[in-house]
Amino acid sequence: MDWQTVLALLAVAAMAGWIDAVVGGGGLLQLPALLIAGGSLPVASVLGTNKLAATLGTLAAALTYRRKYPISRKVVAVGGGTAVVGSAGGAVVATAISSDFLRPLILLLLVAVAVFVLLRPRFGADGPEGEGPDVQRQAPERHRVAWLVLLAGGGIGFYDGLVGPGTGTFLIIAFTSVLGLEFIRALSTVKMINVGTNLGALLVFAVQGQVLWVLGLGMSLFNVAGALVGARMTMARGSGFVRSVLLIVVVVMVMRLGYAEFA
């Protein structure tokens, strides 16, 4: 891999880190760039390298958000734990089957997300003061939320290990809905769960020897830098900024997946 290609990958990693920190979806840039630059590299090696950069970048964003918005330890323990397991399972399956059959389903999900956000202009823009994952709830409601967190973490984690791009976006929508928080207040918790979805797959690829460590660590540095800038911009501009970027990213994802499916 020549130095021009490496520099291009580092620039893409920084941009992907910024997008991922704000609203998720950085894999839509980073993974295709790696696939193109990797040429004859095994797909598993590309996926593993992508996961290394994504894991560290997402962790940097989560820790940045945590300084202003506390992380819900209960939600992270339940959702993050199942996310690690689900992601590892998805990565194992990814080595055995093609993920092409998932494209139509992902496309439908993304269209549904865009319609949902457009039709509910206040969704994620504000939340009742004091509400969130750790408020005192009635027992049935606590159990319902716990099951939803469990299913969302494991299901989206499995998707992340199997395919990947768009995971952060799905997590933000799912956990903002489940926890009843505005976008920006949910980001610290969501990003820690996103670390779990990345980590599970990374462990599987690392054990299989499918991580290009030198390239991956170099991309990680730039991914972290982009994530730090994105997280600080988000905290400065608020939930309206996140909602706008979310819609833009979802539209781009729909166009890209639609082109791949029907072109």
Side-chain angles (χ1 to χ4, degrees):
M1 194 176 293
D2 56 56
W3 65 269
Q4 293 98 329
T5 302
V6 172
L7 287 178
L9 286 175
L10 295 179
V12 168
M15 190 178 302
W18 185 90
I19 292 174
D20 220 47
V22 176
V23 76
L28 286 168
L29 293 177
Q30 191 164 270
L31 185 56
L34 274 167
L35 286 169
I36 293 171
S40 59
L41 288 174
V43 174
S45 296
V46 173
L47 293 173
T49 305
N50 177 63
K51 284 301 174 192
L52 175 59
T55 299
L56 295 178
T58 304
L59 179 60
L63 294 177
T64 302
Y65 286 126
R66 185 184 179 186
R67 295 175 185 173
K68 187 172 183 180
Y69 302 106
I71 289 173
S72 171
R73 295 180 180 179
K74 292 180 182 179
V75 173
V76 169
V78 176
T82 55
V84 171
V85 175
S87 179
V92 171
V93 174
T95 62
I97 65 171
S98 170
S99 59
D100 288 344
F101 73 96
L102 288 175
R103 281 179 182 162
L105 176 60
I106 298 167
L107 192 59
L108 288 175
L109 286 173
L110 288 170
V111 171
V113 166
V115 172
F116 178 77
V117 175
L118 283 171
L119 293 180
R120 296 187 61 183
R122 298 307 303 165
F123 175 73
D126 54 18
E129 188 66 27
E131 287 193 3
D134 291 329
V135 298
Q136 295 299 318
R137 302 172 185 263
Q138 297 296 322
E141 186 179 357
R142 288 201 305 270
H143 293 157
R144 181 183 68 86
V145 171
W147 276 109
L148 288 173
V149 168
L150 191 74
L151 292 172
I156 297 175
F158 182 84
Y159 164 78
D160 195 15
L162 181 62
V163 184
T167 297
T169 304
F170 292 138
L171 282 171
I172 288 174
I173 291 293
F175 281 89
T176 300
S177 301
V178 169
L179 302 179
L181 292 173
E182 58 176 319
F183 285 135
I184 194 168
R185 292 186 180 276
L187 281 173
S188 57
T189 298
V190 168
K191 286 303 172 187
M192 282 304 298
I193 295 173
N194 202 174
V195 171
T197 69
N198 285 320
L199 184 59
L202 175 60
L203 292 174
V204 171
F205 290 126
V207 169
Q208 295 178 344
Q210 300 287 2
V211 179
L212 305 176
W213 291 100
V214 175
L215 176 62
L217 288 173
M219 292 181 67
S220 296
L221 292 176
F222 283 79
N223 196 285
V224 167
L228 292 175
V229 173
R232 287 167 182 163
M233 285 182 67
T234 300
M235 289 189 293
R237 299 193 178 191
S239 294
F241 173 66
V242 177
R243 187 176 186 277
S244 299
V245 176
L246 172 63
L247 286 171
I248 293 171
V249 169
V250 168
V251 169
V252 171
M253 289 166 70
V254 168
M255 292 174 62
R256 180 182 178 276
L257 289 173
Y259 178 81
E261 180 65 22
F262 302 111

